[in-house]
Amino acid sequence: MLADSFRFKKPINAKPETVTSNFMIDPLQVEKPKKRSDLRKFLGKEFFIAKRQINWLLSDTNFAKVDSKINYNNSLIKHKSFLLRPLKDVDMYLQHNKVTNLKIAISNLDKVVIKPGQTFSIWRLVGRPTKSKGYLDGMTLHNGEISKDTGGGLCQLGNLLYWMALHTPLTIKERWRHGYDVFPDINRTIPFACGATLSYNYVDLQLKNNTDKYFQINLWLDKEYLQGEITCDSDLKTKYEIYETDHMFKHQWWGGYTRHNKIWKKITSLLDNSIKEEIVTENNAIMMYSPLIDK
């Protein structure tokens, strides 16, 4: 899990705001990160966890559930990501622990069915990662610094699910983007910032089914990869393509570098070849390395 995150709150078609002086706010200007005490971070986290738990109790949201008896044959998207990827300044034992954490988490998610009107929530199904459940220390990120915590590494699961969801008609109800770009691109196969960070339980990934179709999420591990697939009860006759524009690096006034882009979705009907394009999100992340280094 990467605890540092930002949620994209503006409408996807929002334009930069203007102030009364008629000067436009620079949408690429990012504030210098603030340092908070460990006590404040702990109390703040527990407050938001309790707040989300109360919201769950009072909410009338119909959450999706696992149904291992159902198997839909229409595959919409398959994706996989490496389990053990050497990272600078990260001990490999944390990568191996992450595999254990992923096994436990997906055992609560695999075969979940999202019926019309239902909402899929990672944390509603997975629950709080604790040592008593078998979770181990994995890599986390706090204020842009690499650390470790129980259940760390589950952001790989959030990244996989978010990328797959973008290739379906499911609505992204809640997604938090990574606030930091921690490592240089190495063998990147998808656009920058097409992932979703997680932190129990208030930094969640939620998908809403606003269609009349039924969807199922399948998850599994092999020796090398975390694997995922989203299937449907119907052949949608639709093709999805996710791409980026406006990708750039910016040197901020406070000395650091930031990375930016816009993510778009192209939807093509295979029945009449009609095309629809829509912006998904705008991403702004603080870089933890110089863009001028030799990668």
Side-chain angles (χ1 to χ4, degrees):
M1 290 178 290
L2 299 181
D4 295 305
S5 58
F6 298 96
R7 188 176 181 184
F8 186 72
K9 298 181 179 180
K10 294 182 180 179
I12 58 176
N13 60 348
K15 297 180 180 179
E17 298 176 0
T18 56
V19 294
T20 53
S21 62
N22 292 325
F23 285 100
M24 183 173 290
I25 297 175
D26 183 358
L28 302 184
Q29 183 171 309
V30 176
E31 293 183 2
K32 184 177 181 179
K34 298 178 180 179
K35 296 287 185 180
R36 292 183 171 86
S37 68
D38 290 340
L39 177 61
R40 180 174 177 179
K41 287 187 289 186
F42 172 78
L43 294 177
K45 180 176 181 178
E46 292 303 316
F47 169 80
F48 285 110
I49 288 174
K51 184 178 179 180
R52 176 58 61 94
Q53 289 173 334
I54 293 173
N55 178 266
W56 281 346
L57 289 173
L58 301 179
S59 173
D60 58 358
T61 301
N62 184 8
F63 287 101
K65 299 179 180 179
V66 171
D67 191 338
S68 58
K69 298 178 181 179
I70 293 179
N71 288 287
Y72 299 133
N73 296 322
N74 298 289
S75 179
L76 303 182
I77 173 71
K78 289 182 179 179
H79 191 62
K80 62 183 180 181
S81 60
F82 279 111
L83 289 171
L84 301 176
R85 177 173 293 165
L87 300 171
K88 183 181 179 182
D89 300 325
V90 178
D91 291 328
M92 280 305 296
Y93 87 91
L94 293 176
Q95 294 283 304
H96 289 281
N97 286 359
K98 176 193 67 177
V99 176
T100 297
N101 295 339
L102 287 170
K103 286 180 181 178
I104 299 172
I106 68 174
S107 69
N108 297 286
L109 295 173
D110 182 36
K111 302 297 183 183
V112 61
V113 175
I114 313 175
K115 300 178 181 179
Q118 287 189 332
T119 296
F120 164 77
S121 162
I122 287 181
W123 290 125
R124 279 281 296 188
L125 293 170
V126 170
R128 188 164 191 165
T130 61
K131 292 183 178 179
S132 63
K133 295 179 182 178
Y135 286 98
L136 304 174
D137 283 346
M139 189 189 78
T140 59
L141 183 68
H142 295 285
N143 293 325
E145 298 178 355
I146 296 172
S147 184
K148 62 182 179 180
D149 198 3
T150 304
L154 294 186
C155 274
Q156 184 171 349
L157 177 60
N159 294 339
L160 180 90
L161 289 171
Y162 178 66
W163 176 251
M164 293 198 302
L166 291 177
H167 293 79
T168 74
L170 294 169
T171 300
I172 310 298
K173 184 177 179 181
E174 178 178 336
R175 173 252 179 177
W176 297 75
R177 59 179 172 83
H178 299 281
Y180 291 85
D181 181 20
V182 186
F183 305 106
D185 293 352
I186 300 177
N187 300 322
R188 181 185 291 277
T189 59
I190 64 176
F192 163 69
C194 279
T197 187
L198 298 172
S199 182
Y200 182 83
N201 56 3
Y202 59 96
V203 179
D204 197 5
L205 176 64
Q206 296 188 12
L207 313 174
K208 178 74 179 291
N209 184 1
N210 289 319
T211 77
D212 59 354
K213 310 300 181 184
Y214 290 71
F215 300 88
Q216 186 171 47
I217 298 175
N218 304 301
L219 297 164
W220 68 97
L221 299 176
D222 60 27
K223 292 182 179 180
E224 293 186 76
Y225 298 98
L226 168 64
Q227 303 259 11
E229 180 182 28
I230 297 182
T231 58
C232 185
D233 66 332
S234 304
D235 185 352
L236 301 182
K237 304 293 184 182
T238 306
K239 178 183 176 182
Y240 294 87
E241 179 185 354
I242 309 301
Y243 64 95
E244 71 172 347
T245 63
D246 302 277
H247 182 238
M248 67 181 69
F249 302 100
K250 184 177 177 62
H251 193 199
Q252 297 293 330
W253 64 270
W254 41 268
Y257 287 92
T258 53
R259 190 172 183 177
H260 313 264
N261 72 354
K262 295 179 181 179
I263 302 299
W264 296 78
K265 177 188 287 192
K266 180 180 179 181
I267 308 170
T268 303
S269 170
L270 301 182
L271 296 176
D272 58 8
N273 291 321
S274 61
I275 296 176
K276 177 183 178 182
E277 294 184 281
E278 58 186 38
I279 188 168
V280 176
T281 187
E282 299 180 24
N283 296 294
N284 307 291
I286 298 171
M287 300 180 66
M288 302 307 298
Y289 59 93
S290 170
L292 304 178
I293 66 173
D294 184 5
K295 300 175 185 178

